């Protein structure tokens, strides 16, 4: 148990618009942390959201609140839950966390705008229906975010290592 100091990502993105470069640096750090935790046997965090991501004083991402990771309960926060959350027959996996982080990345790159505020949740199909097809057409990473938010879990990134590699390529293009 490490005592972590810093501000939540939620507070940071409420204060100011992140530069895409900074957002992607933090996204890569997040992916490395999640990949490490997955390698230690964590099947899923189950509550990825900006309030559970801290930015340390030395500008490093710290993942917090693992209370749901160790119990056999879905949990999670409204607005960040993946479609499989609503299917009693499906467990949450690392790909569920990828879905949630796709929403976080969208917020990081779009001035803290919640994606769900610009979409409607379809209870029958268990997916976000984009009211405006341009909702994800930000200058950066819309293809990454779209892949994270696929309803079909098999169409998302398989793990955070794969997600990180794509992110790193986008980051190189922004530098």
């Amino acid at each position: 148990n490490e005592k972590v100091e810093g501000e939540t990502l939620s507070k940071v993105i409420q204060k100011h618009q992140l530069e895409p470069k900074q957002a992607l640096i933090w996204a890569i750090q997040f992916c490395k942390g999640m990949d490490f935790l997955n390698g230690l046997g964590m099947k899923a965090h189950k509550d990825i959201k900006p309030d559970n991501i801290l930015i340390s004083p030395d500008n490093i991402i710290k993942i917090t609140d693992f209370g749901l990771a160790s119990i056999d309960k879905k949990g999670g926060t409204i607005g960040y839950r993946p479609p499989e959350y609503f299917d009693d027959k499906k467990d949450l996996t690392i790909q569920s966390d990828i879905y949630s982080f796709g929403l976080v990345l969208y917020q990081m790159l779009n001035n803290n705008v919640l994606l769900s505020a610009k979409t409607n949740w379809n209870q029958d199909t268990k997916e976000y229906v984009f009211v405006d097809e341009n909702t994800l057409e930000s200058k950066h990473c819309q293809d990454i975010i779209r892949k994270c938010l696929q309803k079909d879990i098999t169409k998302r990134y398989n793990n955070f290592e794969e997600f990180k590699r794509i992110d790193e390529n986008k980051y190189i293009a922004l530098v």
Side-chain angles (χ1 to χ4, degrees), residues 46-68:
K46 302 179 188 173
D47 198 17
I48 300 298
K49 62 183 178 181
D51 286 334
N52 289 340
I53 300 169
L54 291 181
I55 309 299
S56 72
D58 55 348
N59 217 25
I60 304 294
I61 287 282
K62 302 288 183 173
I63 304 163
T64 66
D65 193 1
F66 292 92
L68 294 173

Side-chain angles (χ1 to χ4, degrees), residues 82-124:
E84 56 273 17
Y85 172 89
F86 300 95
D87 186 341
D88 292 335
K89 297 177 185 122
K90 291 187 180 177
D91 290 329
L92 298 183
T93 67
I94 206 73
Q95 287 170 295
S96 305
D97 289 341
I98 286 172
Y99 184 96
S100 299
F101 190 67
L103 293 168
V104 172
L105 183 59
Y106 179 86
Q107 279 184 270
M108 291 168 65
L109 292 166
N110 289 280
N111 200 24
N112 199 33
V113 174
L114 286 169
L115 182 59
S116 56
K118 290 189 170 189
T119 61
N120 289 329
W121 180 257
N122 184 322
Q123 189 61 35
D124 295 328

Side-chain angles (χ1 to χ4, degrees), residues 141-157:
C141 302
Q142 66 265 24
D143 52 338
I144 292 173
I145 294 167
R146 281 188 194 279
K147 185 163 179 156
C148 291
L149 299 182
Q150 291 294 311
K151 177 186 173 192
D152 181 349
I153 200 167
T154 64
K155 293 182 180 176
R156 293 180 209 153
Y157 297 102

Side-chain angles (χ1 to χ4, degrees), residues 156-172:
R156 293 180 209 153
Y157 297 102
N158 292 313
N159 52 52
F160 278 99
E161 172 61 28
E162 182 182 352
F163 186 9
K164 178 183 71 73
R165 281 195 312 269
I166 301 298
D167 243 2
E168 285 175 332
N169 291 337
K170 287 289 180 180
Y171 169 68
I172 290 166

